[in-house]
Amino acid sequence: MPRTNTHSVTDDAPVELHADVLVIGGGPAGTWAAVAAAQQGARVILVDKGYCGTSGATAPSGTGVWYVPPHPEERRAAMGSRYALGGFLAERVWMERVLEQTYANVNTIADWGYPFPTDDDGRPFRRSLRGPEYMRLMRRKVLQSGVKILDHSPALSLLVDEHGVGGATGIRTQTDQAWTVIAGAVVIATGGCAFLSKALGCNVLTGDGLLMSAEAGAELSGMEFSNAYAICPKFSSVTKTLFYNWATFYYESGEVIEGAGSQRGRSVIARTLLSQPVYARIDKASEEMQTWMRQAQPNFFVPFDRAGINPFQDRFEVTLRLEGTVRGTGGIRLVDETCATGVPGLYAAGDAATRELICGGFTGGGSHNAAWAMSSGYWAGQSAARYAHRLGDKHHLRRPAPLWDAGAGPRQAASESAGSTGEVISAVQQEVMPCDRNLFRCERNLNDSLRRLDAVWHTIRYERAPTGSLQKRREAEAMTATARWMYTAALERTETRGMHKRTDFQTADEEQQHRLVVSGLDEIHIHTEPVQHPLEVVPS
Amino acid sequence: MIELISETLCTRCGLCVAVCPTNVFSQKKGEVPTIERQSDCQTCFMCELYCPVDAMYVAPHADETVGVEERAVAELDLLGSYRAAVGWGPGSAGRLPLPGETKVFQATKAAEERPRAQTERKGVGLHAP
């Protein structure tokens, strides 16, 4: 029996709840999963590390959506548009069904009252969503569906028994309570990993779900496609890159950097940044365009307005902030169309799941990402509810145990300086943030980084747990694990494909037109998986 | 990073404590919340957007604290400026000013199609130059 279904913040006793479906993560994928599971009649609990409605990369930002009307020609063009950029690793069948589901879901959002604008002909324009508005609406729909939300409740470990995954456990950070949810099925919708780079909204995205799933035996795919960097004013967190299509990039002297650009010339910016500062100015936008820009993305202008910079007239220093697997495409491998992970009772969606299925090894703007989140979230929630239903009502009697237990980890030796989670995180960031390691990759650097990352992993898991809260300890572990999976896959892929660039193998190798699947914690295993349904590209 | 909660404007409702995704604030019962863990702030501006009385100010600097005086930001009309721009401010009835979105989309599509045509001509597109 559940101990209680309501609890106040003054109650410091552990929270123990039962549900058919537990959704971990309250961004777009998690909220769609929760709504879809509830539609199936499941009792659903959603936990979020922060606050469902503001957490994650979408809420403070805004995103294009891969919303394409069901006309065969338009759909074909949409599928082909980024196929080559993605290195021919996407799956036609998955693209088709994501386009179909996204179209349905976006129309549902309109029915729910999202204020889509109209175009010049008065037709509704549904190809973009504003983050704050979208996620506030999704929280409301989740609550209206009867889902219970636990905010500020990071998950620390999945619970398992002989039947598979049966819930999760974590802490409520504002009350220091432990929480446990026994559930028939779990959906991982924890987002990707941006290594605490402060890319907009990304600091809750530390790879926690990847680690928890891997501990339960799930595999990951496409982890080499994890080196997305966003252009950003150097002082700022606002990693919105669309308007840099209208920018010119400059050296400190004021001379134009030839070849530098947002879409095709980001590598030129990265190379220049290795030795000197880079400046930008959005000087290719007409006055009319400038007005539209302000209306379309007010958050892009907040840092400039507050710092007293006119980005259309003044040159401002820019940097590249790592977005890791958030805008990269790697994540938990899905074994079928239900978004199952292969571990009984465990489903994955959104950035936590591999987006290679629709993007291959490259992602541009948020359009595919938003479509993937709402589609995979919907399917994962629906499938998790059906799975829990098939278990019957006895699943509440299960007593699954955590896979990770803070008390069972390494003890800190009092005589030794154990290091803090902050130091561990810095050590990992030093391996994954520099462009000359992660954006431009080579065998020697990858091997060096992996050796150091392996040592960090061994230390924090087996020798000395770093000081810091349980949440931060787990984040440090998750980032270390994610970095090791990334670089193991990057080392294996001896070619350049999608966003994965090897300076020692600068072209694509036809023999490597397959996905790379990694698994394991202490020892990482890797194998290839063929593309099953390639898109037939009609030669032009 | 979050720099300011105005003691004179704050109604002590605690909404910022609830909505901050990285749990930066603490609040004792009936008091103005405090910026307890400023280094965890990710500069996402969500607290400012949700504050119903525009009592907060997030400086745009993500990696350093800059120190902010309430009088200075108030004089520059910065308190609540983002909420107003997004259309969540008082008087905007929760509706968004949206007319720019279709124009920007069309312009972006036009800008994107040019490089794509080049890629297809070359027949590779496996790595952006």
Side-chain angles (χ1 to χ4, degrees), chain A residues 113-319:
Chain A
Y114 180 91
F116 284 108
T118 49
D119 65 17
D120 288 344
D121 305 322
R123 287 175 307 212
F125 174 81
R126 296 181 176 170
R127 294 193 171 192
S128 73
L129 286 164
R130 292 184 163 206
E133 199 72 22
Y134 174 33
M135 292 317 300
R136 185 171 70 170
L137 175 64
M138 288 309 296
R139 180 183 178 92
R140 198 158 67 225
K141 296 320 284 188
V142 167
L143 291 170
Q144 284 173 355
S145 304
V147 174
K148 181 176 183 60
I149 297 177
L150 299 184
D151 296 306
H152 299 289
S153 300
L156 295 174
S157 175
L158 294 175
L159 305 175
V160 297
D161 60 14
E162 70 274 22
H163 304 295
V165 171
T169 183
I171 41 164
R172 310 205 71 195
T173 48
Q174 295 194 333
T175 55
D176 271 334
Q177 293 164 290
W179 63 261
T180 298
V181 175
I182 310 283
V186 174
V187 177
I188 298 286
T190 49
C193 179
F195 298 96
L196 295 175
S197 69
K198 293 197 177 178
L200 192 60
C202 286
N203 268 24
V204 291
L205 310 172
T206 48
D208 313 3
L210 308 187
L211 175 62
M212 289 189 288
S213 301
E215 286 170 343
E219 296 179 317
L220 301 116
S221 183
M223 291 305 289
E224 67 276 33
F225 306 120
S226 46
N227 50 351
Y229 287 82
I231 303 171
C232 176
K234 194 178 178 200
F235 63 92
S236 159
S237 59
V238 178
T239 42
K240 297 177 71 75
T241 53
L242 178 63
F243 294 160
Y244 292 100
N245 287 330
W246 287 270
T248 308
F249 295 89
Y250 299 89
Y251 295 106
E252 195 162 19
S253 63
E255 191 190 333
V256 173
I257 304 175
E258 292 300 332
S262 176
Q263 286 201 317
R264 301 293 159 139
R266 217 170 280 191
S267 293
V268 176
I269 297 171
R271 284 217 172 78
T272 310
L273 278 169
L274 292 173
S275 60
Q276 57 188 300
V278 171
Y279 295 80
R281 185 169 62 193
I282 320 261
D283 43 19
K284 294 178 189 163
S286 65
E287 262 182 48
E288 202 182 16
M289 189 68 201
Q290 293 175 19
T291 310
W292 297 337
M293 284 172 161
R294 279 199 173 267
Q295 288 166 343
Q297 291 193 1
N299 49 5
F300 179 82
F301 296 93
V302 171
F304 297 116
D305 292 346
R306 293 183 178 193
I309 294 167
N310 179 340
F312 302 117
Q313 285 175 14
D314 306 331
R315 284 196 292 262
F316 51 93
E317 197 173 346
V318 292
T319 189

Side-chain angles (χ1 to χ4, degrees), chain A residues 79 124 213 231 404 420 432 469 501 506:
Chain A
M79 291 195 289
S213 301
I231 303 171
W404 182 87
S420 65
V432 296
S469 68
K501 293 182 180 61
Q506 296 191 12

Side-chain angles (χ1 to χ4, degrees), chain B:
Chain B
M1 281 190 260
I2 177 71
E3 294 283 1
L4 175 77
I5 303 175
S6 163
E7 298 212 4
T8 52
L9 297 172
C10 176
T11 61
R12 296 144 175 81
C13 73
L15 199 51
C16 56
V17 185
V19 303
C20 173
T22 56
N23 197 29
V24 164
F25 307 104
S26 290
Q27 185 181 24
K28 286 191 186 130
K29 211 174 168 133
E31 292 184 17
V32 174
T34 53
I35 302 168
E36 203 66 28
R37 291 162 290 274
Q38 193 180 22
S39 61
D40 284 341
C41 175
Q42 59 174 351
T43 318
C44 70
F45 304 96
M46 293 309 287
C47 55
E48 211 187 290
L49 211 48
Y50 272 78
C51 177
V53 292
D54 296 330
M56 312 184 78
Y57 181 74
V58 178
H61 304 83
D63 300 314
E64 54 180 354
T65 59
V66 290
V68 161
E69 273 187 52
E70 181 173 346
R71 216 180 45 180
V73 289
E75 272 172 13
L76 290 167
D77 266 343
L78 289 174
L79 288 176
S81 59
Y82 180 38
R83 198 161 74 104
V86 164
W88 282 18
S92 53
R95 299 295 290 183
L96 301 168
L98 294 164
E101 289 193 41
T102 54
K103 307 285 186 189
V104 167
F105 177 78
Q106 280 151 6
T108 312
K109 227 175 135 192
E112 270 177 357
E113 265 155 21
R114 263 171 277 139
R116 189 185 305 149
Q118 274 170 20
T119 308
E120 279 165 12
R121 216 174 28 248
K122 283 190 217 150
V124 280
L126 293 182
H127 56 283

